[in-house]
Structure formats: C-alpha cells, structure tokens
Amino acid sequence: MTERTISVSVPLDLYAEMDNAPSFHGNLMQKLKLNLAIGMFISKEVSLSRAAEYAEMPLSDFIDMLNKFGVSSVNYSAEMFADDLEFSEHI
C-alpha cells in the first residue's frame, strides 16, 4: 500500500489520551490508524476488509477490536459487501 505522510495538529490533552489509551496497546501511529479505520468503517466510507487493511490488522483481529468497542461488524451496505468480496479474491 502506498502511503502519504501528513502533519496533523492535535491538542496536547488529546495527544496524551491517545498515547495512554489502555484499549489498544501499540504505538501512537498504530492507534491513529486504527481509530481512523474504525471511524471510516462506522461512517460507511470503507468496507470491513478495507478498514482492517488500513488498520494494518488481520480481519479477525479488526473484528475483535470492533467488538471490544461495541461496534457491529455486520451492518454495512451492499456496495461494501461487494468491495469485501472483490478484495477477498485478491488474497
């Protein structure tokens, strides 16, 4: 996956909370990627498998993480299902 580096300013207290969040043990970049992927999945911008890919996690681990946060992994559109199906064919 090709990446682009961006610079984002966040309040210091948000940075501290993200860095110390006990819900996921990883470095700050991993936490940011996970949170972005979850947010994009919740807002139905990406499919489940694409969100897992963006979070750099196996699909089963990403689903477990969604469950940990109380987010359903099965409520998504037909277009997202088609995207997941197409993505799974390339694995």
Side-chain angles (χ1 to χ4, degrees):
M1 175 177 5
T2 305
E3 293 188 4
R4 174 171 286 183
T5 300
I6 61 171
S7 175
V8 177
S9 296
V10 295
L12 287 176
D13 56 339
L14 175 61
Y15 178 84
E17 286 183 42
M18 287 285 300
D19 199 31
N20 294 319
S23 59
F24 175 72
H25 303 288
N27 67 41
L28 185 58
M29 185 56 65
Q30 290 170 319
K31 290 178 184 181
L32 288 170
K33 286 180 180 182
L34 174 64
N35 280 286
L36 180 60
I38 290 173
M40 291 182 74
F41 175 72
I42 289 172
S43 64
K44 299 184 180 188
E45 296 176 59
V46 297
S47 68
L48 181 63
S49 61
R50 188 73 63 195
E53 178 186 5
Y54 292 158
E56 298 178 348
M57 299 177 83
L59 183 58
S60 60
D61 290 352
F62 186 73
I63 291 170
D64 288 343
M65 190 62 66
L66 290 175
N67 289 331
K68 183 176 183 179
F69 292 129
V71 176
S72 173
S73 61
V74 294
N75 186 17
Y76 60 108
S77 69
E79 292 85 16
M80 289 179 169
F81 178 73
D83 186 42
D84 281 345
L85 199 57
E86 180 182 335
F87 180 74
S88 68
E89 292 171 358
H90 300 291
I91 296 177

